[in-house]
Amino acid sequence: MFGYVTTNMEEMKIKDYRIYHGFYCGVCQDLKEDHGQTSRVTLTYDVTFLGILLTGLYETETKREEHFCAMHPFKKHLCLRNQWTAYAADMNVLLSYYNLLDDWEDEKKPVPLILASALKKDVKRLKERYPRQARAIETYLQKLKACEQEASTDLDRAAADTGEMLGEIYVWKEDVWADTMRKIGCAMGRFIYRMDAYEDIEKDAVSGNYNPFMTIKDHENFDSECQNMLMMQMAECCRAFERLPIVQDAGILRNILYSGVWAKFASVYNKRNKAGENE
């Protein structure tokens, strides 16, 4: 379900991309050191955004390192690491574990189950370290399962549940910034769920998997209806973000919020319409 909170490379400055990629690699390195090599395959752009957001908010000192990796075996590359890249890595493991189990239950393919099994030991430790966040994910999955079993036609229900869950992930602790961070996470979660439902609508129509957009997929203006929903969620997310006193790497964050997510939407939209033309 994740992978929609990314950059628009065409609109990003080279120096900003180097920093963004450095944070991405930093989260990846934290995954390797704290959770083992296998966990690295679960890394998403979404948690990289969270790591950069928390770094800018709390203005934490960041270590600059250089590492080789499987993707860059011949040249060391920049890794930016701090407590927020470590937190992002921890949240990535929690989210991935439960997402993989959900994929296994839906499709019964072995790979998600194998990956989930590799993360299980670490998840037990993370649940003890982050009880509020872990409880939010588990509660969310229960609500989502009920929504799917009831085949709910409520377009807002599952998206709202996703937002509520991600809001708790975005809140590191209950401090002066908690309310705003929770609002950003809630809006982002609703956006992510709806983007995923929009991208998967045709596949779900064939497989029979639950998708709240199934009731409107044949509307003449289906694409624009979905886009309007997504714009409302991202506008809410951006309004909350602009209330934060973030200066460090604000350009990167705005690239993602104001451009990157829409570049992703455009990619999905073009893919859907190209497939429709070929039918």
Side-chain angles (χ1 to χ4, degrees):
M1 185 172 69
F2 296 96
Y4 298 106
V5 187
T6 186
T7 61
N8 183 349
M9 284 289 297
E10 293 183 0
E11 299 296 330
M12 181 171 274
K13 297 177 181 178
I14 294 175
K15 67 178 183 66
D16 284 342
Y17 175 71
R18 187 166 184 267
I19 292 171
Y20 175 81
H21 192 265
F23 274 110
Y24 181 85
C25 293
V27 177
C28 188
Q29 191 68 24
D30 281 315
L31 282 169
K32 173 189 174 183
E33 294 185 9
D34 294 341
H35 306 291
Q37 284 281 11
T38 303
S39 69
R40 302 173 90 173
V41 303
T42 68
L43 177 57
T44 68
Y45 295 117
D46 307 67
V47 297
T48 303
F49 170 81
L50 177 60
I52 299 172
L53 179 65
L54 289 168
T55 297
L57 178 60
Y58 291 103
E59 299 181 336
T60 307
E61 182 178 354
T62 300
K63 295 186 297 182
R64 300 175 69 91
E65 304 173 355
E66 290 189 341
H67 292 277
F68 292 110
C69 73
M71 296 298 294
H72 305 86
F74 304 114
K75 183 179 180 181
K76 287 185 177 181
H77 55 94
L78 177 67
C79 281
L80 299 174
R81 301 172 67 190
N82 55 35
Q83 73 178 96
W84 307 120
T85 59
Y87 176 76
D90 289 344
M91 293 302 103
N92 188 89
V93 169
L94 276 177
L95 288 166
S96 296
Y97 174 74
Y98 289 106
N99 193 50
L100 287 165
L101 288 182
D102 188 56
D103 288 346
W104 159 250
E105 291 185 10
D106 284 345
E107 301 179 5
K108 293 295 186 290
K109 293 182 179 179
V111 173
L113 184 61
I114 293 170
L115 289 175
S117 298
L119 299 176
K120 188 173 183 179
K121 182 178 178 181
D122 290 81
V123 167
K124 182 179 180 180
R125 173 168 53 89
L126 292 174
K127 287 172 68 174
E128 295 175 354
R129 185 185 301 176
Y130 307 105
R132 173 177 54 82
Q133 291 91 328
R135 187 166 54 251
I137 298 172
E138 291 175 340
T139 300
Y140 162 66
L141 288 175
Q142 292 171 3
K143 290 181 177 179
L144 183 61
K145 189 61 64 178
C147 193
E148 293 173 349
Q149 290 174 348
E150 296 169 22
S152 174
T153 57
D154 186 339
L155 296 178
D156 296 323
R157 179 175 167 183
D161 290 339
T162 308
E164 185 177 344
M165 177 273 293
L166 204 62
E168 295 305 313
I169 298 296
Y170 271 48
V171 174
W172 173 61
K173 66 176 182 178
E174 296 292 346
D175 59 10
V176 66
W177 308 119
D179 183 59
T180 302
M181 288 296 291
R182 190 169 276 115
K183 288 179 179 177
I184 294 172
C186 283
M188 186 67 80
R190 293 195 295 271
F191 177 89
I192 289 171
Y193 183 86
R194 284 176 169 148
M195 268 290 292
D196 186 63
Y198 174 66
E199 180 171 22
D200 288 349
I201 186 64
E202 303 299 341
K203 181 179 72 175
D204 291 339
V206 174
S207 67
N209 286 341
Y210 173 74
N211 191 311
F213 287 163
M214 205 66 69
T215 57
I216 65 170
K217 70 177 288 292
D218 294 324
H219 286 192
E220 182 179 354
N221 298 317
F222 172 69
D223 291 309
S224 59
E225 287 182 57
C226 291
Q227 185 175 17
N228 287 337
M229 292 183 213
L230 294 168
M231 289 177 67
M232 290 176 61
Q233 304 304 170
M234 194 47 58
E236 184 178 340
C237 184
C238 291
R239 280 195 297 271
F241 166 77
E242 296 297 348
R243 290 199 288 270
L244 297 175
I246 292 180
V247 176
Q248 181 180 338
D249 301 321
I252 296 173
L253 295 168
R254 289 193 174 98
N255 173 282
I256 294 169
L257 292 171
Y258 292 98
S259 184
V261 295
W262 298 116
K264 184 67 177 180
F265 173 83
S267 175
V268 174
Y269 173 87
N270 291 334
K271 183 179 178 181
R272 274 181 42 78
N273 282 272
K274 184 177 181 180
E277 291 174 0
N278 293 332
E279 290 179 355

